[in-house]
């Protein structure tokens, strides 16, 4: 390989029992899609603070939005296994613009509760429009008073005739500014997890207001605080049974963790690629940066952590593919992955030096995204505690 | 007009190839494989000709083990109409490939065959030229632009020092260079639909071609490691080193 070429992390992959030609076919087409439709626009969308709706349409036509969803709602699920998913998240992570995946794929958390426990009428009404990129759906769980403690939700829905009347607020809602629908967890019963329902709220309903939240990273993803002031929601928008919402919320989490871990491995590889490319080109004190022992060690440490995380990730994906739900390992995997990407972002920034502090490169963006990965989708602290509980400790 | 596009399954362009421990070849066990990038450009060019109404059908053909089906599925997912797999487990040399392709051409009677100029595994850069010779057809190699005009095809070629445009009578052979086009991405629905498109499986026996190798590989080794450069003190020293050590002047 030419020393001056950009380093490609694929070079590190050796023989693997997990990938077949269909995985590589998909990865290569996805890579081409991202290179043509997304990567050239990253800086523009980061500045705009949100994704254009047209991207949802383009991604739907490519099949990315429908990826893994049933054919009857316009998705593509036959022949797709966890390794296709893993590669999808990894490739998107590799762009070093996590906000794009988070915001473009918000239906990945908003839609599954509907498909899992919603009525057939609701599935037919919502899913095809979302998977076609015509409508945007978000998930509303976290409130100003807390997130991971789902059982403590305060926003309330009270039945009044044929409508629920909703009062309260939701916080840190990804795609919240643009969302047409919100799959929203609300209190309809007593305290605790048995008093929670899921309600589909149409965001143009009177009494819904929203405020844009500015963030450290994920700039191309719009994030909102959402307020409900006597919002009337038809009873038919109840997802599943009343007070049965907790299971619907929990339904998402294991798959989400696998995807987030894969995204973090992709981001870590992006950092590695930038660091190695730079270290081989940059000369200091008469030799390449890559010839300084302190830099070589940094690179090897990054590779060591990436390989350990990817191996754990692939084994978890294999187990999920066997029908197992290794909840403790998926929680630990998420922590392993977020710490690896945080480590790699730091070390890559050190290797790039001043260049990593200038806006507009993958390392700089990823460095600002490590916090949201370590906190969102279950914080590291919650994950470690969950794993301990799952292990019966 | 039909366009025939031969495609080859090669080691994925991002994978670092490893030489087998016994130096007999490249280790391909469990290595990621995908379509030769020059062949993707060939598929794209054929599809563009079909979309502009200049061609009616695009047929992809591949020669190799049964896994080449996946490579053909890529071509079908991009938009090719049907595919032919000539199954053969042994390594086939460019002349064998060219003879098999000639047999396919005799059967299908395409007006144009578009091939990648070379495959990134062995970099032979021979198949297109050999096929043209076997068929007695004109060839336009290393194409950066392909324009159909009546019963002719104008091929702009990337040559040393500039561009050369040749006009060929159809039917003709074209081989693609990197700058000809940017291949499209196959959408996920089309990847899935491609599984239902016709894919005929043949054997080399069906075409009566002898696949016995005519070349012997003696030894395969990693390229020599690049050594660090040195800084010379003067022009005289440079000339002396080029003369005595490099032996180039």
């Amino acid at each position: 390989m030419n020393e001056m070429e950009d380093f490609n992390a694929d070079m590190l992959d050796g023989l693997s029992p997990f990938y077949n030609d269909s995985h590589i076919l998909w990865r290569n087409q996805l890579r081409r899609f991202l290179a043509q439709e997304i990567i050239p626009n990253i800086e523009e969308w980061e500045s705009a603070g949100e994704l254009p709706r047209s991207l949802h349409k383009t991604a739907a036509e490519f099949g990315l939005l429908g990826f893994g969803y049933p054919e009857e709602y316009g998705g593509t699920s036959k022949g797709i296994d966890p390794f296709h998913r893993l590669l999808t998240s990894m490739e998107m992570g590799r762009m070093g613009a996590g906000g794009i995946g988070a915001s473009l794929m918000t239906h990945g958390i908003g839609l599954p509760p509907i498909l899992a426990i919603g009525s057939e009428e609701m599935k037919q009404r919502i899913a095809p429009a979302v998977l076609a990129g015509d409508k945007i759906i978000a998930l509303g769980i976290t409130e100003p008073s807390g997130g991971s403690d789902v059982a403590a939700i305060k926003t309330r829905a009270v039945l009044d005739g044929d409508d629920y009347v909703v009062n309260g607020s939701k916080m840190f809602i990804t795609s919240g500014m643009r969302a047409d629908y919100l799959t929203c967890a609300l209190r309809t019963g007593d305290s605790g997890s048995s008093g929670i329902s899921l309600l589909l709220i149409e965001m143009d309903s009177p009494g819904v207001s929203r405020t844009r939240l500015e963030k450290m990273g994920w700039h191309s993803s719009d994030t909102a605080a959402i307020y409900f002031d006597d919002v009337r929601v038809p009873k038919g928008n109840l997802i599943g049974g009343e007070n049965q919402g907790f299971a619907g919320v929990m339904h998402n989490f294991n798959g989400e963790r696998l995807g987030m871990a894969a995204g973090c491995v992709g981001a870590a590889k992006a950092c590695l690629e930038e660091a190695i490319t730079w270290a081989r080109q940059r000369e200091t004190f008469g030799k390449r940066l890559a010839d300084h022992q302190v830099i070589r060690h940094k690179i090897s440490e990054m590779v060591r952590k990436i390989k350990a995380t990817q191996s754990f990730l692939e084994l978890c994906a294999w187990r999920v593919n066997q029908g197992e739900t290794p909840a403790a390992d998926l929680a630990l995997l998420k922590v392993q992955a977020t710490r690896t990407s945080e480590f790699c972002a730091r070390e890559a920034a050190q290797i790039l030096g001043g260049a990593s502090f200038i806006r507009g490169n993958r390392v700089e963006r990823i460095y600002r995204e490590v916090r949201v990965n370590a906190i969102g989708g279950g914080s590291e602290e919650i994950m470690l505690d969950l794993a301990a509980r799952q292990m019966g400790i | 007009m039909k366009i025939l596009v031969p495609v080859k399954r090669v080691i994925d362009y991002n994978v670092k190839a490893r030489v087998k421990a016994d130096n007999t070849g490249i280790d391909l066990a469990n290595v990621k494989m995908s379509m030769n990038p020059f062949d993707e450009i060939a598929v794209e060019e054929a599809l563009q000709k079909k979309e502009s109404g200049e061609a009616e059908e695009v047929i992809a053909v591949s020669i190799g083990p049964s896994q080449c089906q996946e490579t053909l599925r890529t071509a079908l997912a991009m938009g090719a109409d049907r595919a032919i797999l000539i199954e053969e487990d042994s390594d086939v040399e460019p002349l064998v490939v060219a003879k098999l392709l000639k047999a396919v051409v005799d059967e299908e009677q395409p007006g144009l065959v578009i091939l990648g100029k070379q495959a990134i595994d062995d970099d032979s850069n021979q198949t297109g030229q050999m096929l043209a010779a076997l068929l007695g057809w004109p060839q336009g190699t290393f194409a950066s632009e392909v324009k159909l005009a009546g019963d002719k095809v104008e091929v702009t070629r990337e040559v040393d020092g500039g561009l050369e445009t040749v006009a060929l009578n159809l039917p003709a052979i074209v081989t693609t260079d990197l700058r000809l086009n940017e291949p499209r991405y196959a959408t996920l629905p089309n990847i899935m639909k491609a599984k239902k498109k016709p894919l005929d499986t043949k054997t080399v026996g069906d075409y009566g071609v002898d696949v016995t190798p005519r070349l012997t590989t003696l030894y395969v080794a990693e390229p020599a490691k690049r050594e660090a450069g040195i800084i010379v003190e003067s022009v005289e020293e440079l000339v002396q080193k080029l003369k005595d050590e490099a032996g180039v002047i």
Side-chain angles (χ1 to χ4, degrees):
Chain A
M1 183 176 37
N2 186 331
E3 286 286 301
M4 300 309 280
E5 271 176 27
D6 288 354
F7 179 77
N8 186 322
D10 291 349
M11 298 280 179
L12 299 171
D13 290 343
L15 307 184
S16 168
F18 298 121
Y19 300 102
N20 59 36
D21 283 7
S22 100
H23 297 122
I24 302 310
L25 196 172
W26 167 239
R27 186 206 64 186
N28 287 350
Q29 301 308 314
L30 174 63
R31 207 171 257 188
R32 189 168 286 162
F33 170 81
L34 299 177
Q36 289 181 22
E37 305 290 350
I38 295 191
I39 291 169
N41 304 307
I42 288 177
E43 283 308 318
E44 186 190 329
W45 296 338
E46 289 277 299
S47 302
E50 61 180 44
L51 300 175
R53 277 189 177 250
S54 59
L55 176 64
H56 290 255
K57 205 69 201 158
T58 309
E61 280 159 15
F62 172 56
L64 186 58
L65 296 196
F67 180 91
Y69 293 94
E71 276 72 6
E72 53 190 305
Y73 306 117
T76 309
S77 63
K78 288 193 184 75
I80 287 177
D81 66 34
F83 288 97
H84 293 99
R85 286 174 198 278
L86 187 155
L87 286 173
T88 305
S89 299
M90 215 186 282
E91 283 305 317
M92 295 191 76
R94 209 158 152 266
M95 296 192 292
I100 291 175
S103 193
L104 181 60
M105 309 295 274
T106 312
H107 68 294
I109 50 177
L111 200 52
I114 293 176
L115 295 177
I117 58 173
S119 68
E120 191 54 41
E121 179 278 323
M122 184 185 284
K123 292 180 196 175
Q124 294 289 357
R125 180 159 59 97
I126 306 299
V130 168
L131 299 181
D134 294 327
K135 296 284 185 185
I136 294 172
I137 190 167
L139 179 70
I141 307 282
T142 299
E143 300 187 344
S145 57
S148 291
D149 187 2
V150 177
I153 278 171
K154 290 191 172 70
T155 299
R156 185 165 276 283
V158 179
L159 199 58
D160 176 33
D162 286 337
D163 296 335
Y164 283 100
V165 179
V166 179
N167 280 288
S169 54
K170 292 288 168 185
M171 200 62 178
F172 311 138
I173 305 306
T174 302
S175 297
M177 292 307 291
R178 297 178 309 142
D180 303 297
Y181 303 121
L182 187 69
T183 297
C184 192
L186 303 155
R187 184 156 304 285
T188 45
D190 297 336
S191 61
S193 60
S194 61
I196 291 172
S197 300
L198 283 175
L199 206 53
L200 180 76
I201 298 181
E202 299 184 29
M203 295 294 280
D204 57 359
S205 308
V208 176
S209 57
R210 29 189 164 182
T211 307
R212 182 181 295 272
L213 302 174
E214 300 295 342
K215 306 180 297 300
M216 179 193 293
W218 277 15
H219 288 171
S220 41
S221 163
D222 56 304
T223 304
I226 302 176
Y227 307 95
F228 306 110
D229 184 13
D230 285 331
V231 177
R232 298 191 77 86
V233 180
K235 209 162 65 174
N237 277 18
L238 189 65
I239 306 169
E242 194 174 88
N243 297 327
Q244 310 282 308
F246 191 73
V249 174
M250 292 303 165
H251 183 80
N252 271 340
F253 287 155
N254 288 315
E256 187 187 1
R257 281 167 202 154
L258 199 64
M260 283 189 76
C264 287
V265 171
K269 285 183 168 179
C271 292
L272 180 74
E273 288 173 341
E274 297 291 342
I276 292 179
T277 300
W278 180 261
R280 293 204 295 205
Q281 290 173 4
R282 177 84 158 172
E283 289 208 4
T284 57
F285 304 103
K287 55 184 176 182
R288 302 180 316 159
L289 210 48
D291 290 326
H292 293 276
Q293 192 180 42
V294 66
I295 301 298
R296 299 173 73 79
H297 282 195
K298 279 185 190 297
I299 288 170
S300 288
E301 284 289 317
M302 290 164 79
V303 173
R304 178 173 69 80
K305 289 182 190 240
I306 288 170
K307 280 182 172 280
T309 308
Q310 185 172 334
S311 301
F312 191 17
L313 171 69
E314 288 168 344
L315 187 64
C316 284
W318 180 82
R319 288 169 67 189
V320 168
N321 202 23
Q322 306 304 303
E324 196 187 348
T325 306
D329 279 0
L330 289 172
L332 293 176
L333 168 68
K334 180 175 180 276
V335 178
Q336 173 70 21
T338 55
R339 294 219 173 143
T340 295
S341 67
E342 185 167 357
F343 175 85
C344 290
R346 182 191 193 281
E347 295 300 88
Q350 291 301 112
I351 292 171
L352 262 66
S356 74
F357 201 60
I358 303 300
R359 278 282 165 96
N361 68 80
R362 290 196 291 178
V363 173
E364 184 268 335
R365 287 198 303 264
I366 292 168
Y367 193 84
R368 290 184 285 104
E369 291 176 3
V370 295
R371 287 273 64 73
V372 68
N373 289 322
I375 294 167
S379 69
E380 290 181 355
E381 292 72 15
I382 293 281
M383 290 297 95
L384 292 170
D385 187 61
L386 172 77
R389 272 188 284 131
Q390 289 283 334
M391 291 183 286
I393 295 166
Chain B
M1 180 176 74
K2 288 185 196 174
I3 300 180
L4 187 72
V5 185
V7 296
K8 185 176 184 183
R9 179 177 185 262
V10 298
I11 190 164
D12 188 58
Y13 63 99
N14 284 314
V15 172
K16 185 169 168 33
R18 288 174 187 77
V19 173
K20 283 186 191 164
D22 61 2
N23 295 97
T24 56
I26 301 295
D27 191 352
L28 295 178
N30 291 328
V31 171
K32 291 173 190 166
M33 307 285 279
S34 52
M35 190 193 295
N36 177 38
F38 290 104
D39 300 347
E40 292 188 313
I41 294 170
V43 173
E44 175 65 36
E45 194 63 22
L47 293 176
Q48 288 183 13
K49 297 287 178 268
K50 187 187 165 190
E51 284 162 356
S52 66
E54 295 166 289
E56 285 84 47
E57 193 181 26
V58 176
I59 308 160
V61 56
S62 192
I63 300 157
S66 62
Q67 293 95 315
C68 290
Q69 281 195 19
E70 286 290 345
T71 314
L72 288 168
R73 295 286 174 208
T74 306
L76 295 170
M78 288 173 75
D81 298 286
R82 60 189 171 91
I84 302 166
L85 169 61
I86 305 173
E87 222 176 301
E88 174 56 38
D89 286 332
S90 70
D91 277 346
V92 283
E93 292 171 357
L95 183 59
V96 170
V97 174
K99 285 178 178 173
L100 286 166
L101 291 177
K102 177 183 183 296
V104 174
V105 168
D106 288 343
E107 218 169 74
E108 296 286 349
Q109 299 290 318
L112 198 57
V113 182
I114 309 181
L115 308 87
K117 71 169 180 179
Q118 66 197 64
I120 61 167
D121 51 0
D122 55 18
D123 279 340
S124 291
N125 192 343
Q126 295 174 352
T127 304
Q129 295 88 331
M130 286 176 169
L131 178 60
L134 291 174
L135 286 165
W137 286 10
Q139 55 180 302
T141 52
F142 316 146
S144 62
E145 197 181 352
V146 177
K147 271 200 291 202
L148 286 163
D151 56 354
K152 284 190 166 30
V153 57
E154 282 180 16
V155 179
T156 304
R157 311 179 59 229
E158 299 195 347
V159 295
D160 287 348
L163 298 173
E164 174 190 55
T165 303
V166 292
L168 315 173
N169 290 322
L170 292 174
I173 305 290
V174 170
T175 75
T176 62
D177 215 326
L178 271 186
R179 279 160 290 274
L180 178 57
N181 60 48
E182 187 179 4
R184 70 194 59 195
Y185 47 81
T187 68
L188 185 61
N190 283 343
I191 290 173
M192 296 302 165
K193 275 180 212 148
K195 292 181 178 171
K196 296 197 183 80
K197 287 187 178 177
L199 193 161
D200 284 343
T201 304
K202 307 268 193 176
T203 64
V204 291
D206 295 339
Y207 298 102
V209 171
D210 176 15
V211 297
T212 314
R214 283 163 170 73
L215 306 171
T216 311
T217 301
L218 299 178
Y219 192 77
V220 177
E222 295 268 355
K225 291 270 180 295
R226 184 169 168 260
E227 288 182 23
I230 52 163
I231 295 174
V232 294
E233 296 293 330
S234 63
V235 175
E236 287 75 20
E237 191 189 346
L238 176 65
V239 171
Q240 179 252 319
K241 281 191 183 297
L242 288 174
K243 215 173 198 163
D244 299 342
E245 292 177 26
V248 293
I249 56 173

